[in-house]
């Protein structure tokens, strides 16, 4: 695996925002904001590598796509892009909302988190994790909390879904230029470095102490979306990410059993991020879901009091680096580098690789034959695993 230089002051242009690696496959450098940012790594590609000039153009225009993989992942206009479930055709093309969620113990339990179709979890400085929920039909909700600041690698993940992106907190280190660019439909609090803050979206509750008490008020959010003129339907560049099993069927999975998943291992206070929050998932054969645990007990939604559960769990391995003395991190979110992925559904694991070429592309998950890995219809939790700590992962 070859390392790629981390570019500070993230720009979206290939000259400054991305570092181009000229040894086989080119990578974008992106992931990590304020405290963390994504670094790109490259593992020699096989037959699908792109040239440096092609990748540079993709960075600039978003025009380069892995056409072979994108053609294999389709949506018929009657199923959710996020869950694969049947959906009113009039709602299918509504853009989702990506929200940064606090996961330090003082910021838990979160409220409204169970209504997210997808959760991303990744390490941040201090070696705990932060979450990003991706919500569709969020207009029917009252509030989502509790909100914290951005990291650029989460922004790049949000772009996979063409999502409107909401966060609150000091947001400029490593990610300011990206957030203020026309690449991101940004909903941010009024903090230094944000060109167009959202005036109505964020409120505080008196039931918690700052900074762990900020939530998104959905009515206020809608006012800001309208004020900024953000599209609420998918752009033409949007592509489906997941391959779901057909209605009434289970995924084609013949992998090994996977009933207990520990993204940070079983030992506490290891530096991989997940260990300090004691994160793990346990499969329930009765309902076919993985139940989430952290901080020594069930991970619940404050608004319902119920434990979070998911139909799919994904461990997406990424190259990572420490950016500076403050332990700001960087993770590789793009690349034709055949990085490892493990997909867990129906109590079984399918191993494969992932690749992603441009911000307007999703990261595609394929098996050893190059075919998209099928998911169960329903909700998905994705852990970005720092590849340096891959050996900490425990699967039973």
């Amino acid at each position: 695996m070859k390392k790629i230089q981390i570019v500070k002051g993230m720009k979206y242009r290939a000259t400054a925002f991305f570092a181009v690696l000229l040894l086989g496959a080119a990578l974008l450098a992106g992931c990590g904001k304020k405290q963390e940012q994504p670094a790109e790594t490259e593992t020699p590609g096989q037959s699908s590598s792109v040239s440096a000039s092609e990748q540079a153009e993709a960075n600039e225009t978003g025009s380069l796509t892995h056409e072979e993989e994108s053609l294999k992942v389709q949506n018929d206009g009657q199923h959710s892009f996020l869950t694969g479930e049947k959906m009113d055709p009039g709602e299918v093309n509504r853009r989702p909302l990506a929200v940064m969620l606090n996961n330090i113990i003082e910021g838990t339990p979160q409220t409204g988190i169970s209504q997210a179709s997808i959760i991303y979890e990744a390490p941040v400085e201090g070696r705990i994790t932060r979450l990003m929920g991706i919500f569709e039909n969020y207009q029917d909700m009252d509030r989502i909390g509790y909100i914290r600041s951005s990291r650029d690698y989460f922004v790049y993940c949000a772009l996979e879904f063409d999502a409107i992106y909401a966060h609150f907190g000091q947001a400029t280190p490593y990610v300011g230029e990206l957030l203020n660019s026309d690449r991101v439909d940004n909903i941010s609090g009024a903090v230094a470095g944000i060109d167009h803050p959202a005036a109505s979206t964020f409120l505080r509750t008196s039931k918690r102490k700052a900074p762990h008490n900020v939530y998104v008020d959905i009515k206020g959010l809608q006012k800001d979306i309208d004020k900024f003129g953000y599209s609420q339907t998918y752009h033409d560049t949007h592509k489906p990410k997941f391959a779901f099993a057909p209605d009434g069927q289970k995924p084609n999975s013949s992998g090994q059993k996977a009933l207990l998943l520990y993204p940070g291992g079983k030992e506490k206070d290891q530096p991989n991020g997940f260990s300090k929050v004691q994160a793990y998932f346990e499969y329930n054969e009765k309902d076919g879901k993985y139940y989430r645990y952290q901080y020594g007990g069930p991970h619940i939604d404050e608004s319902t009091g119920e434990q979070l559960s998911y139909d799919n769990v994904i461990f997406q391995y990424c190259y990572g680096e420490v950016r500076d003395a403050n332990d700001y991190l960087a993770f590789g979110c793009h690349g034709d580098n055949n990085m490892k992925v493990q997909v867990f559904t129906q109590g079984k694991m399918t191993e494969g690789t992932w690749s992603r070429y441009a911000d307007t592309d999703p990261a595609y998950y394929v098996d050893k034959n190059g075919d998209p890995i099928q998911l169960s219809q329903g909700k998905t939790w994705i852990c970005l695993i720092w590849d340096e700590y891959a050996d900490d992962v425990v699967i039973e």
Side-chain angles (χ1 to χ4, degrees):
M1 179 184 305
K2 299 179 178 64
K3 296 183 179 179
I4 188 168
Q5 178 184 1
I6 296 173
V7 183
K8 296 184 178 180
M10 307 300 287
K11 271 187 169 184
Y12 192 82
R13 297 194 169 274
T15 55
F17 181 47
F18 293 96
V20 178
L21 191 60
L22 301 177
L23 295 176
L27 288 176
L28 310 175
C31 286
K33 153 233 158 207
K34 169 181 180 177
Q35 295 169 335
E36 317 161 9
Q37 185 173 17
E40 288 296 314
T41 176
E42 192 215 332
T43 300
Q46 296 179 358
S47 61
S48 57
S49 295
V50 296
S51 71
S53 60
E54 288 174 324
Q55 183 64 69
E57 180 181 357
N59 298 348
E60 186 68 24
T61 67
S63 62
L64 186 63
T65 285
H66 194 308
E67 294 183 2
E68 181 180 351
E69 289 177 356
S70 66
L71 289 173
K72 293 180 180 179
V73 182
Q74 299 291 320
N75 184 287
D76 63 3
Q78 299 183 43
H79 291 78
S80 165
F81 284 97
L82 305 189
T83 67
E85 296 171 328
K86 289 284 287 185
M87 195 173 190
D88 183 339
E91 300 293 323
V92 170
N93 285 318
R94 291 185 67 87
R95 293 175 71 195
L97 172 72
V99 181
M100 292 301 301
L101 295 168
N102 201 347
N103 201 40
I104 194 170
I105 192 167
E106 294 85 356
T108 61
Q110 300 87 359
T111 188
I113 186 174
S114 61
Q115 295 192 53
S117 298
I118 299 166
I119 298 288
Y120 274 85
E121 182 177 23
V124 295
E125 66 289 345
R127 305 304 173 90
I128 60 171
T129 60
R130 188 158 294 183
L131 310 179
M132 180 178 72
I134 302 180
F135 298 80
E136 57 186 349
N137 298 325
Y138 59 87
Q139 298 88 349
D140 299 331
M141 299 178 65
D142 176 38
R143 64 176 64 183
I144 302 170
Y146 294 90
I147 314 305
R148 289 307 301 268
S149 55
S150 175
R151 298 293 182 275
D152 61 353
Y153 38 100
F154 282 105
V155 180
Y156 290 114
C157 292
L159 290 174
E160 295 190 48
F161 302 90
D162 193 20
I164 297 169
Y165 181 73
H167 58 102
F168 186 95
Q170 196 262 341
T172 51
Y174 302 118
V175 72
E177 289 189 54
L178 177 60
L179 292 173
N180 289 320
S181 74
D182 60 4
R183 303 288 180 179
V184 180
D185 284 350
N186 182 39
I187 299 289
S188 173
V191 297
I194 294 298
D195 293 346
H196 303 290
S200 303
T201 297
F202 302 102
L203 299 176
R204 291 186 184 270
T205 176
S206 60
K207 296 180 180 180
R208 295 194 180 197
K209 293 182 179 180
H212 312 296
N213 61 348
V214 177
Y215 64 90
V216 168
D217 176 75
I218 299 300
K219 290 182 179 179
L221 168 71
Q222 191 59 57
K223 289 181 181 178
D224 286 325
I225 290 174
D226 293 340
K227 179 181 70 174
F228 294 140
Y230 293 155
S231 172
Q232 294 188 65
T233 57
Y234 286 116
H235 295 101
D236 292 341
T237 54
H238 172 254
K239 306 173 187 72
K241 174 181 174 69
F242 299 125
F244 291 102
D247 294 339
Q249 298 183 30
K250 294 181 180 180
N252 300 321
S253 177
S254 57
Q256 70 180 60
K257 278 192 174 182
L259 307 181
L260 285 166
L261 318 176
Y262 297 85
K266 293 184 177 182
E267 295 185 27
K268 293 176 60 176
D269 299 324
Q270 299 302 304
N272 57 55
F274 299 91
S275 172
K276 287 191 176 182
V277 303
Q278 303 168 54
Y280 73 95
F281 303 84
E282 183 175 16
Y283 182 67
N284 184 323
E285 295 186 4
K286 292 182 178 180
D287 61 9
K289 297 181 184 294
Y290 285 94
Y291 284 76
R292 164 78 176 191
Y293 294 82
Q294 64 175 20
Y295 293 119
H299 190 168
I300 68 169
D301 184 327
E302 181 184 56
S303 64
T304 65
E306 296 180 356
Q307 186 175 5
L308 304 181
S309 63
Y310 296 85
D311 301 276
N312 312 287
V313 177
I314 297 173
F315 289 176
Q316 180 177 335
Y317 292 76
C318 305
Y319 170 71
E321 283 189 0
V322 178
R323 270 185 160 132
D324 55 32
N326 294 314
D327 198 38
Y328 295 168
L329 304 179
F331 292 100
C333 296
H334 307 73
D336 175 25
N337 48 353
N338 295 306
M339 290 293 284
K340 180 179 177 180
V341 68
Q342 294 168 321
V343 176
F344 308 94
T345 189
Q346 299 294 320
K348 295 182 179 180
M349 176 180 70
T350 300
E351 293 192 283
T353 59
W354 68 270
S355 59
R356 182 184 180 194
Y357 293 87
D359 281 358
T360 53
D361 271 358
Y364 291 111
Y365 306 131
V366 299
D367 62 21
K368 63 182 179 181
N369 298 317
D371 295 321
I373 299 174
Q374 272 196 348
L375 304 185
S376 297
Q377 292 188 11
K379 295 187 293 185
T380 300
W381 188 294
I382 302 173
C383 297
L384 299 187
I385 307 290
W386 191 341
D387 68 343
E388 181 177 340
Y389 300 103
D391 289 343
D392 291 350
V393 174
V394 174
I395 300 165
E396 296 179 343

